[in-house]
Amino acid sequence: MSTTSTPRDPYEVLGVRRDASEQEIKKAFRKLARQLHPDVNAQDPNAEEKFKEAAEAYEILSDAERRATYDRYGHDGLRSGGYAPNFDAFGSISDLFDAFFGAGGGFRSRGAPASGGDIAVTIELDLAQAAHDNTVQVSYEAIEVCEHCHGNGAEPGTPIEACSRCRGEGHLQAVSRTPFGQMVRTVVCDACHGSGRLARQPCRQCSGKGLRSGRRTVSVEVPAGISDGQRIRIAGKGHAGERRSAAGDLYVLVKVRPDERFLREGDDLLTVLSIPASLAALGGEGEVSTLDGTVPVTIHPGVQPGEIITLKGQGMPQLRRGRRGDLKVVIDVVIPRRLSETQRQLFAQLQGSITEENLRSEESMLAKLRRVFRHHST
């Protein structure tokens, strides 16, 4: 609760009537406090201040003498009587919550074994490889269960006993003095780290931790059609958790290297086929590269620059569906340069024979502009 603003009415803060019973006040505070617990309300940056405000309201109304003073004189009466709440000694909101409700407060115990962390690795594939199912071997460093002690932290054949510091509870009671009396909070035992048990003779391989760092190799199934930047999740292949708790996951980021022959648009591929002006005028056969080799393509007479010939089923596979996209072949008409004298004469004869009928097109001017711009953009 901010010290620079006027304190709110504690009855209003807890949402109770002025004649509320002690049990009603306690119930209202617990309900409100649990709504503000960090495990539930982590996204609210003001949760800690709201909890402190609720805690101050409860401290006032749960004490009969303070409540009577407030009812008669308000916050000024409390201050003149020496009451000044101070929650700074508790550190975080989790500690403050534990001070009222004990460790966990009905939520996950802070001494519970931590789950293993996730691991991210990257693999690279060619575009042609990405078009087929692949099995890739991935090696990485990971925290694993110690094979020598099987994760219990004790040298094989030696006993594991209850922690003498916390008497097997896994937590300790810490007492703090505050302006409104002694507050008892529960903290994780610093000897057994919350497990409540200690090995009489720690494992010599892992020093009693039950975990060791090691090199791991995993086979990753990469489906055909995967795209650059997609991830594959493999459950349970991340870091091992403490005291045999759940392991983390492995995330494999797939990078698909560019192929200078193609541009990818979803499941379709685009490529350019450059042909001489003579072939564009007369038509004939050409060859175009695909992911699986070269295939013939028919060039119809009078094909124009920027026209697209679509080869069905020659693109990338659709991820986990089996069907393939198309290969779109963009025609690039190459005008010859450095002509010989004979070629120059032939072109001169051709130019002299061209008529309006040869140049006439059924395309509108706007359609031509669109085709030209589309050609240049590819």
Side-chain angles (χ1 to χ4, degrees):
M1 181 174 175
S2 174
T3 57
T4 59
S5 60
T6 302
R8 286 206 297 157
D9 178 10
Y11 292 102
E12 177 187 345
V13 172
L14 297 184
V16 296
R17 304 186 311 274
R18 303 192 77 83
D19 60 348
S21 66
E22 181 179 343
Q23 187 64 27
E24 289 174 326
I25 291 171
K26 185 176 182 180
K27 182 178 179 180
F29 171 61
R30 283 184 170 271
K31 180 180 178 181
L32 179 61
R34 291 177 187 277
Q35 293 174 358
L36 300 173
H37 190 281
D39 283 353
V40 174
N41 210 31
Q43 303 303 318
D44 186 354
N46 299 317
E48 184 166 353
E49 288 300 315
K50 292 177 181 178
F51 185 85
K52 288 180 179 180
E53 183 183 50
E56 180 183 344
Y58 177 70
E59 285 300 316
I60 293 172
L61 300 184
S62 63
D63 184 281
E65 184 176 345
R66 288 197 192 107
R67 183 178 180 180
T69 300
Y70 176 80
D71 287 342
R72 294 187 64 184
Y73 306 109
H75 284 287
D76 289 339
L78 291 173
R79 282 193 289 268
S80 63
Y83 171 71
N86 179 14
F87 301 102
D88 295 335
F90 293 100
S92 70
I93 185 174
S94 296
D95 293 334
L96 184 58
F97 194 93
D98 289 348
F100 281 91
F101 302 109
F107 295 85
R108 177 180 59 84
S109 171
R110 299 176 64 199
S115 298
D118 295 333
I119 298 176
V121 297
T122 300
I123 62 173
E124 289 192 359
L125 300 173
D126 294 330
L127 184 64
Q129 291 176 309
H132 301 88
D133 291 326
N134 286 277
T135 300
V136 180
Q137 300 296 314
V138 176
S139 296
Y140 55 95
E141 295 288 334
I143 302 299
E144 299 180 320
V145 174
C146 175
E147 294 181 357
H148 187 65
C149 66
H150 303 290
N152 63 20
E155 188 66 23
T158 63
I160 300 177
E161 302 170 335
C163 175
S164 58
R165 178 162 172 75
C166 65
R167 299 178 182 178
E169 295 294 330
H171 55 264
L172 301 169
Q173 300 294 322
V175 180
S176 301
R177 292 188 174 278
T178 71
F180 41 81
Q182 288 187 339
M183 297 295 292
V184 180
R185 62 190 181 115
T186 303
V187 297
V188 176
C189 176
D190 56 355
C192 65
H193 304 289
S195 67
R197 294 162 63 81
L198 285 174
R200 179 183 294 179
Q201 183 178 343
C203 172
R204 67 174 182 269
Q205 296 291 332
C206 65
S207 302
K209 297 178 181 178
L211 300 172
R212 296 185 65 189
S213 177
R215 191 78 178 168
R216 181 184 299 168
T217 300
V218 173
S219 295
V220 180
E221 301 296 329
V222 183
I226 197 162
S227 298
D228 181 63
Q230 288 188 307
R231 296 192 307 172
I232 300 172
R233 173 179 171 267
I234 305 177
K237 292 300 182 179
H239 293 302
E242 295 178 353
R243 303 196 295 278
R244 301 184 183 181
S245 59
D249 298 331
L250 173 66
Y251 288 90
V252 181
L253 176 65
V254 178
K255 303 293 290 183
V256 179
R257 287 187 287 265
D259 190 313
E260 63 180 11
R261 300 171 299 170
F262 306 105
L263 290 179
R264 183 175 182 178
E265 289 188 350
D267 299 321
D268 293 334
L269 295 176
L270 278 76
T271 191
V272 174
L273 177 61
S274 296
I275 60 174
S278 56
L279 179 58
L282 300 175
E285 292 290 324
E287 279 192 346
V288 64
S289 294
T290 71
L291 289 172
D292 302 314
T294 59
V295 296
V297 60
T298 300
I299 309 297
H300 65 82
V303 67
Q304 298 297 306
E307 283 193 28
I308 295 176
I309 300 173
T310 300
L311 302 182
K312 294 290 187 180
Q314 293 289 345
M316 293 292 290
Q318 296 181 356
L319 191 62
R320 304 189 189 282
R321 293 186 181 179
R323 296 189 299 273
R324 296 185 66 160
D326 300 330
L327 175 61
K328 297 181 179 180
V329 183
V330 181
I331 297 299
D332 175 35
V333 178
V334 180
I335 305 300
R337 301 175 180 178
R338 296 178 291 276
L339 299 176
S340 67
E341 185 58 32
T342 301
Q343 290 172 328
R344 186 179 298 277
Q345 293 176 2
L346 290 173
F347 266 102
Q349 294 177 17
L350 176 63
Q351 181 179 357
S353 66
I354 296 295
T355 66
E356 284 293 327
E357 183 66 24
N358 299 127
L359 301 177
R360 188 171 61 191
S361 172
E362 296 183 359
E363 281 186 304
S364 66
M365 181 60 68
L366 183 59
K368 288 180 180 180
L369 287 173
R370 285 174 176 168
R371 175 166 53 79
V372 170
F373 282 119
R374 184 170 64 246
H375 168 62
H376 283 293
S377 66
T378 58

